């Protein structure tokens, strides 16, 4: 029980030593003193009577023998003022308490104890709220755990259709689930720490770079052309797709494991699933009832399978496929852009066995007339029991349906088997459902027959690129042939420069949503399409305004003949207007494949025009059964000397132009069919990035590309005559 004499002693002690206030919370926050106002008033009244002149405690007791304790209540105004002050300063010092007591007509100790009680009340309130929140989170986790158990109990085996048993879980699936549990615990731990110190849980941030700035159109005297700044490539899909949430990860793992089983059967089983390399869709649905759901309305199925033996170790192929940067470079003719959004597993035992990634990619055809295919998918790698490797993709649009996509990848990928002498056998399956109603009539047959995006296209690129990489690593270069570059460092630098040129050309000629084409004239298939770009702070491109122009058309000449005509330096003056009829001479070359057409060349234009006497042309020509390219760019002699001596090629400015030659898909009955030819130019129209594009520049480029097309048609018609 509280005794007044003890309170008086405490007050006397406070007067004698200001460093020992009655505020015990400075020594121990968890042991605050509680004093009721009525007790304070009772003690203060009694002590005051004892100090009055001529009075005594006994007299006071005699006058009021049965006096009850008087309870003091704060007025509403006092409470409001202290509440307002508490919001600004929960811990007032002595000076503030005395000032507040004078204003409210209270004793300083009354103010002090009111603030102590208020702080304790707020602390208890926060603890009750936190406990309630934790109970709700606990109930949510219990519910999630129960749903997962029920889903696991009701799951069925993809092979036999019967119920699964935990003991029958594959090793790689078990590793993925362990990794998922570890990541969940780590996120929960970090979130708890952040909530303790910051006051709110950690958000789920996507594993992707910040969204780029939107493209800025360049003004023209009679309108705006679609413009872009190099390096800024926004799209709706790439901007809106985010990393998967924790609740999505178990579903992604299940889809990936089922897709791997499906891919293995698709690569190894023939009839009745495949009939003459054509997929039987009814048999497919019966064989694989699970998956990503039924085909959307208006979508068309494309399914193909192809095998090839390539000159590359199977481990290196797996590394290329699982590294998004290497994959984008090797398949630059197909992949315009790609990014990894999340890595759910990096694999086990120091390799990619069990690796699982969430990715987004844009697939292209080198022409503005075929829309790109944007997909959001999981990529899963697994080593099989026989030592072979498999990499499978499966669409995740069922998990993240917005924005809606026009292309869904069912189980697609490849089986990689080791062969002697560093070779590998690759069996590729490409199985997609796509809405291709935006394809131009000129390319519809080619796309529908699978020549544009099918498995044959993928393995043809892989085969050619493996030969190119082998050429980069080659050391036994014969020096007997004239013009062959034998310097190992010089070869690598020149091939690296040519590779960057090819990537830039392919990315700039397609219908990627990263840039906008504007049609200049006409209504036919040979319309010229242009776009403008600003080149700023990029050592690999000249600074200023770059005008790109492209057109696609059909000619009744086989692709092989068109390719040989365009890559031959002896016939270059028949179509190259910029050479001014001068003789073109090959100064050096690097062969990078079995086909003689696969090579990198350095050409000199011997023109009567003295301004072009120092101009060299870097050219790469490459061909395979599905596509051929002749890509070139003017280069400076001084810069090329540095490259040929093994210098860094990244600082050589390039503006590539060239040709993409595709078969039209009509090679039936032993005939070779015609060619779909895309001509594309990039021209620096002004070296000042802030300048406005003039109508004269657009007209010049339009005339240039039209004259080039006419010259090619005339030369080809003479050959066929």
């Amino acid at each position: 029980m509280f005794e007044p004499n003890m309170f008086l002693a405490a007050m006397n002690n406070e007067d004698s030593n200001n460093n020992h206030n009655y505020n015990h919370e400075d020594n121990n926050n968890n042991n605050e003193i509680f004093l009721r106002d009525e007790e304070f008033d009772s003690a203060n009244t009694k002590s005051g009577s004892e100090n009055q002149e001529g009075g005594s405690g006994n007299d006071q007791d005699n006058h009021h023998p049965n006096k009850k304790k008087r309870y003091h209540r704060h007025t509403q105004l006092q409470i409001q003022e202290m509440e307002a002050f508490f919001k600004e300063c929960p811990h007032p010092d002595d000076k503030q308490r005395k000032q507040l007591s004078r204003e409210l007509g209270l004793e300083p100790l009354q103010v002090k104890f009111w603030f102590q009680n208020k702080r304790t009340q707020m602390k208890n309130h926060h603890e009750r709220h936190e406990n309630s929140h934790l109970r709700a989170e606990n109930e949510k986790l219990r519910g999630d755990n129960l749903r997962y158990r029920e889903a696991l109990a009701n799951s069925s085996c993809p092979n036999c259709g019967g119920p699964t048993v935990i003991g029958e879980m594959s090793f790689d699936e078990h590793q993925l689930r362990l990794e998922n549990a570890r990541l969940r615990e780590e996120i929960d731990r970090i979130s708890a720490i952040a909530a303790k110190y910051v006051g709110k849980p950690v958000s789920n941030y996507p594993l992707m770079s910040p969204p780029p700035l939107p493209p800025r159109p360049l003004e023209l005297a009679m309108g705006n052309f679609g413009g872009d700044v190099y390096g800024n490539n926004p799209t709706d899909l790439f901007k809106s797709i985010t990393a998967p949430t924790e609740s999505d990860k178990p579903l992604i793992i299940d889809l990936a494991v089922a897709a791997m089983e499906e891919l293995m059967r698709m690569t190894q089983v023939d009839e009745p699933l495949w009939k003459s390399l054509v997929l039987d869709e009814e048999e497919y649905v019966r064989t694989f009832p699970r998956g990503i759901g039924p085909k959307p309305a208006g979508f068309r199925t494309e399914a193909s399978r192809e095998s090839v033996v390539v000159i590359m170790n199977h481990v290196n192929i797996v590394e290329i496929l699982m590294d998004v940067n290497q994959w984008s470079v090797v398949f630059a003719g197909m992949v315009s852009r790609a990014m990894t959004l999340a890595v759910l597993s990096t694999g086990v035992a120091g390799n990619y066995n069990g690796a699982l990634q969430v990715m987004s990619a844009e697939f292209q055809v080198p022409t503005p007339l075929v829309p790109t295919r944007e997909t959001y998918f999981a990529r899963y790698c697994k080593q099989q029991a026989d030592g072979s490797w498999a990499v499978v993709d499966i669409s995740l649009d069922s998990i993240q349906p917005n924005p809606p996509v026009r292309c869904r990848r069912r189980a697609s990928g490849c089986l990689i088997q080791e062969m002697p002498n560093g070779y590998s056998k690759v069996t590729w399956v490409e199985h997609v459902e796509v809405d291709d109603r935006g394809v131009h009539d000129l390319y519809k047959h080619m796309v529908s027959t699978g020549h544009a995006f099918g498995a044959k296209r993928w393995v043809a690129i892989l085969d050619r690129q493996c030969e190119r990489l082998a050429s980069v690593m080659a050391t036994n270069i014969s020096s007997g042939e004239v013009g062959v570059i034998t310097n190992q460092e010089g070869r690598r630098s020149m091939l690296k420069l040519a590779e960057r040129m090819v990537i830039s050309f392919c990315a700039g000629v397609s219908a990627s949503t990263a840039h906008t084409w504007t049609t200049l004239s006409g209504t036919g298939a040979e319309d010229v399409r242009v776009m403008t770009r600003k080149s700023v702070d990029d050592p690999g491109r000249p600074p200023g305004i770059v005008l790109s122009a492209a057109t696609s058309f059909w000619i009744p000449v086989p692709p092989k003949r068109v390719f040989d005509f365009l890559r031959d330096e002896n016939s270059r003056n028949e179509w190259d207007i910029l050479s001014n009829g001068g003789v073109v001479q090959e100064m050096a070359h690097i062969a990078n494949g079995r086909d003689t057409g696969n090579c990198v060349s350095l050409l000199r234009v011997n023109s009567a025009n003295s301004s072009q006497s120092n101009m060299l042309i870097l050219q790469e020509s490459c061909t395979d059964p599905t596509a051929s390219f002749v890509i070139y760019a003017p280069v400076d002699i001084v810069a090329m000397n540095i490259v040929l001596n093994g210098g860094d090629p990244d600082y050589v400015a390039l503006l590539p132009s060239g040709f993409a030659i595709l078969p039209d898909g009509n090679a039936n009955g032993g005939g070779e069919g015609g060619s779909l030819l895309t001509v594309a130019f990039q021209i620096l129209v002004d070296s000042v990035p802030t300048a406005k594009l003039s109508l004269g520049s657009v007209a010049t480029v339009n005339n240039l590309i039209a004259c080039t097309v006419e010259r090619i048609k005339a030369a080809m018609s003479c050959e066929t005559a």
Side-chain angles (χ1 to χ4, degrees):
M1 174 152 180
F2 184 84
E3 296 181 8
N5 290 333
M6 294 177 61
F7 176 66
L8 288 173
M11 291 182 63
N12 293 331
N13 186 39
E14 182 180 30
D15 294 334
S16 63
N17 188 358
N18 292 329
N19 294 327
H20 293 81
N21 293 331
Y22 216 69
N23 186 4
H24 286 202
E25 67 175 345
D26 296 334
N27 297 326
N28 189 344
N29 291 332
N30 295 324
N31 297 313
E32 296 192 7
I33 294 177
F34 297 87
L35 182 64
R36 295 185 303 179
D37 293 334
E38 59 270 17
E39 292 177 333
F40 173 82
D41 292 339
S42 176
N44 194 37
T45 302
K46 189 171 184 179
S47 62
S49 65
E50 291 175 347
N51 294 326
Q52 292 177 356
E53 292 185 3
S56 66
N58 294 332
D59 294 339
Q60 191 77 1
D61 291 339
N62 292 335
H63 285 88
H64 303 283
N66 298 321
K67 183 179 179 180
K68 296 182 179 180
K69 296 179 180 179
R70 182 173 61 86
Y71 288 87
H72 174 79
R73 299 292 183 185
H74 295 313
T75 65
Q76 188 68 24
L77 177 62
Q78 291 171 337
I79 294 175
Q80 289 177 354
E81 291 294 329
M82 287 189 288
E83 289 277 5
F85 195 90
F86 182 85
K87 293 180 181 179
E88 300 294 332
C89 180
H91 293 271
D93 55 20
D94 290 342
K95 183 178 179 180
Q96 291 173 317
R97 287 196 296 266
K98 290 178 182 179
Q99 176 68 22
L100 194 59
S101 66
R102 286 195 298 269
E103 294 176 356
L104 300 179
L106 298 173
E107 292 294 331
L109 280 178
Q110 285 181 290
V111 175
K112 176 179 180 179
F113 295 140
W114 186 91
F115 273 86
Q116 287 180 351
N117 293 340
K118 184 65 176 179
R119 286 193 296 269
T120 303
Q121 180 185 7
M122 295 300 295
K123 180 180 178 182
N124 293 335
H125 175 74
H126 286 307
E127 288 180 349
R128 286 194 299 271
H129 178 73
E130 184 177 359
N131 290 338
S132 176
H133 178 71
L134 291 175
R135 281 195 296 270
E137 288 292 325
N138 189 28
E139 291 298 325
K140 181 177 180 297
L141 291 175
R142 287 178 181 273
D144 292 342
N145 189 20
L146 182 61
R147 286 197 300 273
Y148 292 150
R149 289 179 179 273
E150 291 177 352
L152 187 61
N154 297 329
S155 61
S156 60
C157 175
N159 294 326
C160 64
T164 58
V165 182
I166 298 298
E168 297 177 355
M169 186 182 300
S170 62
F171 173 76
D172 57 307
E173 182 177 357
H174 178 65
Q175 293 296 325
L176 287 173
R177 293 186 184 276
L178 289 178
E179 180 75 6
N180 187 29
R182 184 187 66 79
L183 292 174
R184 179 185 289 273
E185 291 175 359
E186 183 176 351
I187 291 176
D188 291 342
R189 178 176 59 82
I190 296 174
S191 180
I193 295 174
K196 180 178 179 181
Y197 291 100
V198 181
K200 57 183 179 181
V202 176
S203 302
N204 289 324
Y205 294 100
L207 302 177
M208 58 190 303
S209 58
L213 296 174
R216 292 173 290 181
L218 297 177
E219 295 182 4
L220 190 63
M222 54 181 298
N224 292 337
F225 287 91
D228 189 18
V229 178
Y230 283 121
N232 295 337
N233 297 324
T235 70
D236 290 339
L237 179 68
F238 278 72
K239 288 169 61 178
S240 56
I241 290 293
T242 59
T245 62
E246 282 297 317
S247 60
D248 293 334
K249 291 178 181 178
L251 302 176
I252 295 174
I253 293 172
D254 292 340
L255 279 174
V257 172
M260 180 61 71
E261 297 291 336
E262 179 178 327
L263 177 69
M264 294 305 297
R265 298 188 66 180
M266 293 279 282
T267 56
Q268 296 174 340
V269 175
D270 293 324
E271 292 188 357
L273 196 58
W274 295 94
K275 297 179 179 178
S276 301
L277 298 180
V278 177
L279 180 67
D280 188 323
E281 294 191 42
E282 294 182 358
E283 183 65 28
Y284 170 81
V285 173
R286 286 193 296 267
T287 306
F288 307 106
R290 300 175 62 194
I292 59 175
K295 180 170 62 176
F299 279 45
R300 183 179 58 82
T301 298
E302 288 183 11
S304 56
R305 184 176 69 173
E306 199 74 28
S307 297
V308 68
V309 176
V310 298
I311 181 172
M312 181 176 286
N313 184 280
H314 62 291
V315 176
N316 293 335
I317 298 177
V318 170
E319 182 178 353
I320 289 173
L321 296 175
M322 298 306 295
D323 184 327
V324 67
N325 294 322
Q326 293 189 55
W327 180 60
S328 301
V329 169
V330 170
F331 294 96
M334 287 280 289
V335 182
S336 55
R337 284 171 303 151
M339 68 171 61
T340 300
L341 301 175
V343 178
L344 305 190
S345 174
T346 57
V348 295
N351 56 41
Y352 285 106
N353 184 24
L356 179 60
Q357 304 173 1
V358 176
M359 306 172 63
S360 61
E362 183 183 53
F363 303 120
Q364 65 180 359
V365 176
T367 175
L369 302 183
V370 178
T372 54
R373 297 180 176 182
E374 296 175 319
T375 58
Y376 171 62
F377 59 94
R379 175 163 291 180
Y380 177 40
C381 178
K382 177 183 176 182
Q383 186 177 20
Q384 307 301 314
D386 60 355
S388 62
W389 290 77
V391 178
V392 66
D393 295 346
I394 186 71
S395 276
L396 301 178
D397 55 288
S398 58
I399 295 177
Q400 196 168 113
N402 290 316
V405 295
R406 293 184 294 107
C407 179
R408 307 170 77 215
R409 287 175 71 77
R410 291 193 176 269
S412 301
C414 60
L415 174 65
I416 308 162
Q417 298 168 292
E418 185 179 9
M419 302 283 286
N421 302 321
Y423 284 76
S424 300
K425 180 182 179 182
V426 179
T427 302
W428 200 291
V429 170
E430 193 68 16
H431 188 189
V432 301
E433 294 167 344
V434 62
D435 178 6
D436 59 1
R437 285 172 288 188
V439 177
H440 194 280
D441 291 340
L442 193 64
Y443 283 83
K444 275 189 176 180
H445 181 72
M446 178 198 174
V447 172
S448 64
T449 54
H451 287 81
F453 297 98
K456 186 176 181 180
R457 181 95 178 92
W458 287 98
V459 298
I461 295 176
L462 179 63
D463 186 23
R464 175 168 51 81
Q465 290 286 40
C466 287
E467 291 183 0
R468 193 181 197 279
L469 293 173
S471 175
V472 174
M473 304 304 296
T475 57
N476 54 342
I477 306 301
S478 175
S479 59
E481 189 175 350
V482 178
V484 175
I485 301 175
T486 58
N487 179 6
Q488 185 69 15
E489 295 301 321
R491 287 172 57 88
R492 291 187 179 182
S493 295
M494 187 167 172
L495 287 172
K496 184 178 179 182
L497 179 62
E499 179 182 75
R500 176 160 64 87
M501 178 179 68
V502 172
I503 293 173
S504 177
F505 175 83
C506 292
V509 75
S510 71
S512 172
T513 51
H515 45 246
T516 304
W517 291 98
T518 301
T519 304
L520 282 185
S521 60
T523 57
E526 296 181 26
D527 292 344
V528 176
R529 289 164 171 80
V530 297
M531 64 176 171
T532 55
R533 296 181 178 182
K534 285 184 180 180
S535 178
V536 182
D537 297 331
D538 186 350
R541 295 184 177 92
I545 298 178
V546 177
L547 181 62
S548 300
T551 188
S552 299
F553 58 97
W554 177 83
I555 53 176
V557 181
K560 175 66 174 173
R561 290 178 55 189
V562 178
F563 172 71
D564 289 338
F565 169 75
L566 293 174
R567 76 176 183 88
D568 188 358
E569 69 272 13
N570 295 321
S571 59
R572 189 181 187 95
N573 55 12
E574 296 185 38
W575 58 264
D576 189 359
I577 300 174
L578 299 180
S579 64
N580 290 326
V583 178
V584 180
Q585 179 184 1
E586 184 182 69
M587 304 296 296
H589 76 271
I590 302 173
N592 56 10
R594 295 188 303 267
D595 194 302
T596 56
N598 289 327
C599 70
V600 176
S601 304
L602 191 60
L603 309 176
R604 177 193 288 274
V605 179
N606 297 316
S607 175
N609 188 347
S610 59
S611 63
Q612 296 182 347
S613 59
N614 292 329
M615 186 181 72
L616 295 179
I617 296 176
L618 176 67
Q619 175 177 291
E620 174 157 358
S621 57
C622 50
T623 183
D624 61 56
T626 62
S628 302
F629 295 89
V630 178
I631 303 169
Y632 61 92
V635 290
D636 182 69
I637 290 181
V638 176
M640 284 309 302
N641 282 332
I642 296 175
V643 171
L644 292 175
N645 289 320
D648 188 358
D650 291 340
Y651 293 93
V652 179
L654 292 175
L655 278 181
S657 301
F659 309 93
I661 310 155
L662 304 176
D664 61 4
N666 291 319
N668 297 323
E672 295 178 297
S675 301
L676 295 170
L677 179 60
T678 297
V679 182
F681 290 119
Q682 292 190 78
I683 297 177
L684 183 69
V685 296
D686 200 310
S687 59
V688 179
T690 57
K692 294 183 178 180
L693 184 65
S694 66
L695 264 178
S697 299
V698 177
T700 300
V701 173
N702 191 18
N703 292 333
L704 173 64
I705 201 168
C707 291
T708 302
V709 169
E710 291 302 321
R711 287 193 175 195
I712 292 174
K713 288 183 175 181
M716 290 286 96
S717 63
C718 292
E719 288 192 7
T720 57

